[in-house]
Short mmCIF file of all heavy atoms in Angstrom, two decimals:
data_model
loop_
_atom_site.label_atom_id
_atom_site.label_comp_id
_atom_site.label_asym_id
_atom_site.label_seq_id
_atom_site.Cartn_x
_atom_site.Cartn_y
_atom_site.Cartn_z
N GLY A 12 106.81 123.92 101.04
CA GLY A 12 105.75 125.06 100.80
C GLY A 12 104.55 124.75 101.48
O GLY A 12 103.52 125.37 101.06
N TYR A 13 104.52 123.98 102.50
CA TYR A 13 103.21 123.56 103.18
C TYR A 13 102.36 122.75 102.33
O TYR A 13 101.10 122.60 102.66
CB TYR A 13 102.62 124.72 103.90
CG TYR A 13 103.43 125.46 104.84
CD1 TYR A 13 104.25 126.58 104.53
CD2 TYR A 13 103.71 124.88 106.24
CE1 TYR A 13 105.09 127.19 105.45
CE2 TYR A 13 104.44 125.49 107.07
CZ TYR A 13 105.21 126.52 106.70
OH TYR A 13 106.06 127.24 107.59
N GLY A 14 102.89 122.16 101.27
CA GLY A 14 102.10 121.17 100.44
C GLY A 14 102.18 119.77 100.96
O GLY A 14 103.24 119.54 101.55
N LEU A 15 101.27 118.90 100.72
CA LEU A 15 101.29 117.52 101.07
C LEU A 15 102.20 116.84 100.12
O LEU A 15 102.19 116.89 99.09
CB LEU A 15 99.95 117.00 101.10
CG LEU A 15 99.58 115.70 101.84
CD1 LEU A 15 99.98 115.64 103.31
CD2 LEU A 15 98.14 115.28 101.55
N THR A 16 103.21 115.94 100.77
CA THR A 16 104.04 115.29 100.03
C THR A 16 103.73 113.70 100.05
O THR A 16 103.07 113.18 100.94
CB THR A 16 105.54 115.34 100.64
OG1 THR A 16 105.51 114.72 101.82
CG2 THR A 16 105.99 116.83 100.71
N ALA A 17 104.27 112.97 99.03
CA ALA A 17 103.90 111.50 98.93
C ALA A 17 104.54 110.79 100.13
O ALA A 17 104.04 109.78 100.53
CB ALA A 17 104.51 111.05 97.55
N ASP A 18 105.82 111.17 100.55
CA ASP A 18 106.47 110.51 101.59
C ASP A 18 105.61 110.57 102.93
O ASP A 18 105.47 109.57 103.69
CB ASP A 18 107.96 111.07 101.92
CG ASP A 18 108.84 110.74 100.75
OD1 ASP A 18 108.60 109.75 100.06
OD2 ASP A 18 109.85 111.30 100.71
N ALA A 19 104.93 111.82 103.12
CA ALA A 19 104.20 112.01 104.39
C ALA A 19 102.99 111.12 104.26
O ALA A 19 102.53 110.43 105.25
CB ALA A 19 103.87 113.42 104.66
N VAL A 20 102.38 111.04 103.12
CA VAL A 20 101.08 110.33 102.95
C VAL A 20 101.42 108.81 103.07
O VAL A 20 100.74 108.05 103.80
CB VAL A 20 100.53 110.49 101.62
CG1 VAL A 20 99.21 109.61 101.41
CG2 VAL A 20 99.99 112.05 101.60
N ARG A 21 102.50 108.41 102.49
CA ARG A 21 102.88 106.95 102.56
C ARG A 21 103.12 106.53 103.96
O ARG A 21 102.70 105.42 104.35
CB ARG A 21 104.09 106.73 101.69
CG ARG A 21 104.36 105.35 101.31
CD ARG A 21 105.67 105.14 100.40
NE ARG A 21 105.28 105.64 99.14
CZ ARG A 21 105.96 106.83 98.71
NH1 ARG A 21 106.85 107.59 99.45
NH2 ARG A 21 105.75 107.36 97.47
N ALA A 22 103.86 107.37 104.77
CA ALA A 22 104.18 106.95 106.12
C ALA A 22 102.98 106.83 106.95
O ALA A 22 102.79 105.94 107.66
CB ALA A 22 105.14 108.00 106.67
N ALA A 23 101.94 107.81 106.83
CA ALA A 23 100.72 107.79 107.57
C ALA A 23 99.85 106.59 107.14
O ALA A 23 99.32 105.92 108.03
CB ALA A 23 99.95 109.05 107.31
N VAL A 24 99.69 106.23 105.84
CA VAL A 24 98.92 105.24 105.49
C VAL A 24 99.56 103.83 105.80
O VAL A 24 98.93 102.89 106.33
CB VAL A 24 98.85 105.19 103.86
CG1 VAL A 24 98.12 103.89 103.42
CG2 VAL A 24 97.94 106.43 103.47
N ASP A 25 100.94 103.69 105.70
CA ASP A 25 101.60 102.42 106.09
C ASP A 25 101.31 102.06 107.64
O ASP A 25 101.11 101.00 107.97
CB ASP A 25 103.06 102.45 105.80
CG ASP A 25 103.29 102.35 104.28
OD1 ASP A 25 102.37 101.97 103.60
OD2 ASP A 25 104.35 102.68 103.83
N ARG A 26 101.38 103.19 108.42
CA ARG A 26 101.16 102.87 109.88
C ARG A 26 99.83 102.41 110.18
O ARG A 26 99.47 101.48 110.90
CB ARG A 26 101.38 104.30 110.66
CG ARG A 26 102.69 104.64 110.87
CD ARG A 26 102.90 105.78 111.92
NE ARG A 26 102.15 106.89 111.41
CZ ARG A 26 102.69 108.01 110.82
NH1 ARG A 26 103.88 107.85 110.50
NH2 ARG A 26 101.96 109.02 110.54
N ASP A 27 98.79 103.05 109.38
CA ASP A 27 97.36 102.68 109.60
C ASP A 27 97.04 101.22 109.07
O ASP A 27 96.40 100.48 109.68
CB ASP A 27 96.44 103.72 109.01
CG ASP A 27 96.42 105.05 109.63
OD1 ASP A 27 96.87 105.00 110.85
OD2 ASP A 27 96.02 106.07 109.02
N VAL A 28 97.60 100.93 107.93
CA VAL A 28 97.40 99.61 107.38
C VAL A 28 98.08 98.52 108.42
O VAL A 28 97.42 97.49 108.65
CB VAL A 28 98.03 99.38 106.03
CG1 VAL A 28 98.03 98.02 105.48
CG2 VAL A 28 97.28 100.32 105.12
N ALA A 29 99.10 98.83 108.86
CA ALA A 29 99.74 97.88 109.90
C ALA A 29 98.79 97.54 111.13
O ALA A 29 98.88 96.66 111.77
CB ALA A 29 101.09 98.37 110.31
N LEU A 30 98.03 98.65 111.35
CA LEU A 30 97.09 98.50 112.54
C LEU A 30 95.75 97.93 112.14
O LEU A 30 94.83 97.80 112.98
CB LEU A 30 96.91 99.93 113.13
CG LEU A 30 97.99 100.61 113.78
CD1 LEU A 30 97.70 101.98 114.21
CD2 LEU A 30 98.45 99.79 114.97
N GLY A 31 95.60 97.46 110.87
CA GLY A 31 94.28 96.93 110.46
C GLY A 31 93.24 97.86 109.98
O GLY A 31 92.12 97.56 109.73
N LEU A 32 93.63 99.21 109.86
CA LEU A 32 92.63 100.22 109.38
C LEU A 32 92.69 100.19 107.82
O LEU A 32 93.63 99.61 107.15
CB LEU A 32 93.08 101.58 109.90
CG LEU A 32 93.10 101.74 111.48
CD1 LEU A 32 93.66 103.08 111.82
CD2 LEU A 32 91.70 101.44 111.90
N VAL A 33 91.63 100.84 107.23
CA VAL A 33 91.52 100.80 105.77
C VAL A 33 91.58 102.22 105.31
O VAL A 33 90.65 103.06 105.59
CB VAL A 33 90.12 100.13 105.49
CG1 VAL A 33 89.82 100.12 103.91
CG2 VAL A 33 90.04 98.71 106.02
N PRO A 34 92.57 102.59 104.45
CA PRO A 34 92.54 103.90 103.90
C PRO A 34 91.37 104.10 102.94
O PRO A 34 91.09 103.21 102.10
CB PRO A 34 93.92 103.88 103.09
CG PRO A 34 94.70 102.73 103.68
CD PRO A 34 93.66 101.74 104.19
N LEU A 35 90.60 105.17 103.19
CA LEU A 35 89.32 105.38 102.45
C LEU A 35 89.49 106.59 101.48
O LEU A 35 89.16 106.38 100.32
CB LEU A 35 88.19 105.58 103.39
CG LEU A 35 86.86 106.08 102.74
CD1 LEU A 35 86.24 104.93 101.97
CD2 LEU A 35 85.97 106.60 103.73
N TYR A 36 89.94 107.61 101.89
CA TYR A 36 89.69 108.93 101.11
C TYR A 36 90.88 109.90 101.40
O TYR A 36 91.37 109.95 102.63
CB TYR A 36 88.45 109.62 101.53
CG TYR A 36 87.92 110.83 100.90
CD1 TYR A 36 86.93 110.60 99.97
CD2 TYR A 36 88.47 111.96 101.24
CE1 TYR A 36 86.31 111.87 99.29
CE2 TYR A 36 87.98 113.23 100.67
CZ TYR A 36 86.89 113.02 99.69
OH TYR A 36 86.36 114.18 99.07
N LEU A 37 91.38 110.50 100.35
CA LEU A 37 92.43 111.39 100.59
C LEU A 37 92.19 112.69 99.85
O LEU A 37 91.75 112.74 98.66
CB LEU A 37 93.73 110.81 100.02
CG LEU A 37 94.99 111.74 99.82
CD1 LEU A 37 95.54 112.13 101.14
CD2 LEU A 37 96.11 111.04 98.98
N CYS A 38 92.37 113.83 100.51
CA CYS A 38 92.09 115.08 99.88
C CYS A 38 93.45 115.75 99.45
O CYS A 38 94.37 115.80 100.20
CB CYS A 38 91.46 116.00 100.88
SG CYS A 38 91.38 117.73 100.17
N ALA A 39 93.45 116.05 98.13
CA ALA A 39 94.70 116.84 97.56
C ALA A 39 94.11 118.25 97.40
O ALA A 39 92.91 118.35 96.80
CB ALA A 39 95.24 116.17 96.22
N THR A 40 94.85 119.21 97.61
CA THR A 40 94.50 120.66 97.44
C THR A 40 95.36 121.42 96.44
O THR A 40 96.59 121.40 96.61
CB THR A 40 94.41 121.36 98.87
OG1 THR A 40 93.58 120.58 99.73
CG2 THR A 40 93.70 122.74 98.66
N VAL A 41 94.78 122.20 95.66
CA VAL A 41 95.45 123.09 94.76
C VAL A 41 94.98 124.51 95.28
O VAL A 41 93.90 124.95 94.92
CB VAL A 41 95.24 122.96 93.27
CG1 VAL A 41 95.85 124.05 92.49
CG2 VAL A 41 95.76 121.62 92.87
N GLY A 42 95.82 125.21 96.20
CA GLY A 42 95.53 126.44 96.74
C GLY A 42 94.78 126.37 98.07
O GLY A 42 93.53 126.68 98.20
N THR A 43 95.56 126.03 99.14
CA THR A 43 94.94 125.96 100.45
C THR A 43 94.38 127.20 100.94
O THR A 43 94.94 128.38 100.43
CB THR A 43 95.82 125.30 101.44
OG1 THR A 43 96.99 126.20 101.61
CG2 THR A 43 96.39 123.99 100.91
N THR A 44 93.42 127.25 101.81
CA THR A 44 92.91 128.43 102.42
C THR A 44 93.78 129.34 103.08
O THR A 44 93.83 130.48 102.83
CB THR A 44 91.71 128.09 103.22
OG1 THR A 44 90.66 127.32 102.53
CG2 THR A 44 90.94 129.34 103.82
N GLY A 45 94.60 128.85 103.97
CA GLY A 45 95.49 129.58 104.76
C GLY A 45 96.59 130.22 103.99
O GLY A 45 96.87 131.45 104.12
N LEU A 46 97.24 129.40 103.11
CA LEU A 46 98.56 129.92 102.58
C LEU A 46 98.61 129.75 101.12
O LEU A 46 99.63 130.23 100.40
CB LEU A 46 99.78 128.97 103.07
CG LEU A 46 99.96 129.10 104.62
CD1 LEU A 46 100.95 127.98 105.12
CD2 LEU A 46 100.28 130.48 105.10
N GLY A 47 97.49 129.25 100.35
CA GLY A 47 97.53 129.07 98.96
C GLY A 47 98.53 127.88 98.52
O GLY A 47 98.91 127.85 97.32
N ALA A 48 98.75 126.95 99.47
CA ALA A 48 99.73 125.87 99.17
C ALA A 48 99.19 124.95 98.15
O ALA A 48 97.88 124.89 98.04
CB ALA A 48 100.08 125.21 100.38
N VAL A 49 100.02 124.17 97.42
CA VAL A 49 99.62 123.18 96.45
C VAL A 49 100.21 121.81 96.75
O VAL A 49 101.46 121.78 96.98
CB VAL A 49 100.06 123.72 94.98
CG1 VAL A 49 99.69 122.55 94.04
CG2 VAL A 49 99.46 125.06 94.70
N ASP A 50 99.41 120.82 96.79
CA ASP A 50 99.89 119.60 97.15
C ASP A 50 100.49 118.89 95.94
O ASP A 50 100.18 119.23 94.79
CB ASP A 50 98.69 118.58 97.67
CG ASP A 50 98.22 119.15 98.99
OD1 ASP A 50 99.02 119.85 99.70
OD2 ASP A 50 97.07 118.79 99.31
N ALA A 51 101.36 117.90 96.20
CA ALA A 51 102.00 117.15 95.05
C ALA A 51 101.08 116.12 94.51
O ALA A 51 101.05 114.98 94.86
CB ALA A 51 103.27 116.41 95.58
N VAL A 52 100.19 116.60 93.56
CA VAL A 52 98.97 115.84 93.18
C VAL A 52 99.39 114.51 92.54
O VAL A 52 98.81 113.49 92.99
CB VAL A 52 98.15 116.67 92.22
CG1 VAL A 52 97.00 115.86 91.75
CG2 VAL A 52 97.69 117.94 92.83
N ARG A 53 100.25 114.49 91.67
CA ARG A 53 100.73 113.17 90.98
C ARG A 53 101.21 112.11 92.02
O ARG A 53 100.79 111.05 92.05
CB ARG A 53 101.60 113.45 89.81
CG ARG A 53 102.10 112.14 89.27
CD ARG A 53 102.91 112.34 87.95
NE ARG A 53 102.00 113.04 86.90
CZ ARG A 53 101.11 112.44 86.23
NH1 ARG A 53 100.73 111.07 86.36
NH2 ARG A 53 100.43 113.10 85.35
#
């Protein structure tokens, strides 16, 4: 439903950590502007 999933976040973060980057901040949205999508907050 165009919501952000844990698998997608996990994959992106793991790639960055492997490159020596530091995950800082993540936005979760309830009701996105374009489509009203809801991310998997938990």
Side-chain angles (χ1 to χ4, degrees):
Y13 299 98
L15 194 57
T16 65
D18 286 344
V20 174
R21 191 178 298 110
V24 172
D25 287 348
R26 282 195 302 270
D27 290 340
V28 170
L30 294 171
L32 299 175
V33 179
L35 172 69
Y36 186 103
L37 171 66
C38 174
T40 307
V41 174
T43 61
T44 299
L46 302 171
V49 176
D50 294 339
V52 177
R53 178 169 297 283

